[in-house]
Amino acid sequence: MKYKRILLKLSGEALMGGKSYGIDPQTLSRYAEEIVTVVKQGVETGIVIGGGNIFRGLQGAAEGFDRVQGDYMGMLATVINAMALQSELEKQGLKVKLLSGLSIDRIADSASSRKITEALDAGFVVIVAGGTGNPFFTTDTAAALRAVEMHADVLLKGTRVDGIYTADPEKDPTAVKFDTITFDEAYERKLKVMDMTAFTLCRENDLPILVFDMNQKGNLEKAVSGENIGTVVHN
Ligand code: UDP
């Protein structure tokens, strides 16, 4: 395996599968299988999951909600998803520690760099829920933060597209995929990798990001073993 310690970011939307809201059990179980495969090969795995399948603060604000209130609702949505993933991973035989950036102590201990690394060292898969615990941030930023905190070798961003293109491939048929790209070039070309806060955190801490299609079976294992899939963003 190329990477020994990984942080996997899954969006909440990915959990919907073909549904338009909530969690699709089949998709959840397939993702868990992918994770089990890499964990069984000794990869130390942290996971951060979004909440967009349930609630997003910005969408709430557009509908007239208070932004901060909406952001906390979004963070709670990530807790729901994280609990679902925890249950599924445990069902499939893994030891899972759920930590949270938002204090919710009956369900999860508070996330900290020390707690995350101790749990990884003890052989747990660690899911960090609750985002950063602060409004006005995203789960991508939480993923970057946790990846840096746990000294991950790479941040794996599992999406529905197979990498980063020169333009949106769904709109522009001449769009070309990058195998690798530097942070500087991605910035200059204004390519959307992650939001700027997350992007900057990774760049400043020299943490590569691998964007890949999580919906292709076997891709997580390929990504971790260094096969040429997706796009790697690096310094
Ligand atoms: N959120 C937040 N602070 C954080 C992480 C998340 O306020 O540190 C809120 C924000 O409202 C966001 C929602 O939680 O819209 C769900 O997260 P996100 O949209 O990043 O989920 P994803 O797109 O990955 O499913």
Side-chain angles (χ1 to χ4, degrees):
M1 289 285 154
K2 178 172 180 186
Y3 302 112
K4 237 198 123 334
R5 180 171 282 199
I6 62 167
L7 186 290
L8 174 65
K9 157 75 201 325
L10 295 174
S11 75
E13 270 179 0
L15 289 188
M16 294 194 297
K19 295 165 65 168
S20 55
Y21 180 83
I23 300 168
D24 172 46
Q26 272 177 342
T27 306
L28 184 69
S29 127
R30 209 179 51 68
Y31 282 175
E33 281 167 23
E34 299 266 319
I35 294 163
V36 168
T37 305
V38 297
V39 171
K40 290 256 164 81
Q41 294 182 54
V43 178
E44 296 168 353
T45 304
I47 304 166
V48 166
I49 189 156
N53 55 325
I54 299 171
F55 198 84
R56 283 211 171 90
L58 270 178
Q59 152 213 333
E63 289 162 5
F65 271 94
D66 175 69
R67 169 73 194 268
V68 172
Q69 191 83 340
D71 278 342
Y72 281 113
M73 292 165 73
M75 286 181 254
L76 290 173
T78 72
V79 176
I80 294 175
N81 287 334
M83 290 174 72
L85 184 61
Q86 177 187 28
S87 300
E88 185 59 34
L89 288 172
E90 284 174 345
K91 199 166 101 190
Q92 294 191 23
L94 295 188
K95 290 199 304 178
V96 184
K97 177 77 81 190
L98 179 60
L99 300 173
S100 179
L102 186 70
S103 78
I104 180 156
D105 62 359
R106 300 291 170 95
I107 293 165
D109 285 343
S110 310
S112 68
S113 175
R114 184 179 292 261
K115 283 258 179 57
I116 299 170
T117 45
E118 277 174 2
L120 289 172
D121 290 344
F124 286 87
V125 170
V126 179
I127 305 177
V128 188
T132 63
N134 298 295
F136 303 104
F137 287 93
T138 62
T139 312
D140 274 0
T141 301
L145 171 67
R146 303 312 176 190
V148 173
E149 281 188 309
M150 68 184 251
H151 309 291
D153 301 319
V154 66
L155 193 166
L156 297 169
K157 184 172 156 87
T159 65
R160 290 179 293 191
V161 285
D162 63 349
I164 300 168
Y165 284 76
T166 48
D168 183 345
E170 282 168 12
K171 291 182 190 141
D172 183 349
T174 66
V176 180
K177 183 167 89 77
F178 293 99
D179 289 338
T180 66
I181 187 169
T182 62
F183 282 102
D184 287 344
E185 189 178 355
Y187 179 76
E188 277 152 25
R189 287 176 174 264
K190 296 190 168 55
L191 301 176
K192 286 204 178 64
V193 182
M194 299 205 293
D195 62 78
M196 281 316 296
T197 315
F199 184 88
T200 305
L201 204 51
C202 292
R203 174 156 70 176
E204 286 179 351
N205 290 283
D206 203 14
L207 176 74
I209 305 166
L210 170 47
V211 179
F212 72 105
D213 181 358
M214 183 73 189
N215 289 331
Q216 285 292 322
K217 202 169 184 304
N219 260 4
L220 179 61
E221 186 181 6
K222 286 184 186 161
V224 177
S225 62
E227 277 188 43
N228 187 19
I229 63 158
T231 301
V232 181
V233 190
H234 60 90
N235 266 324

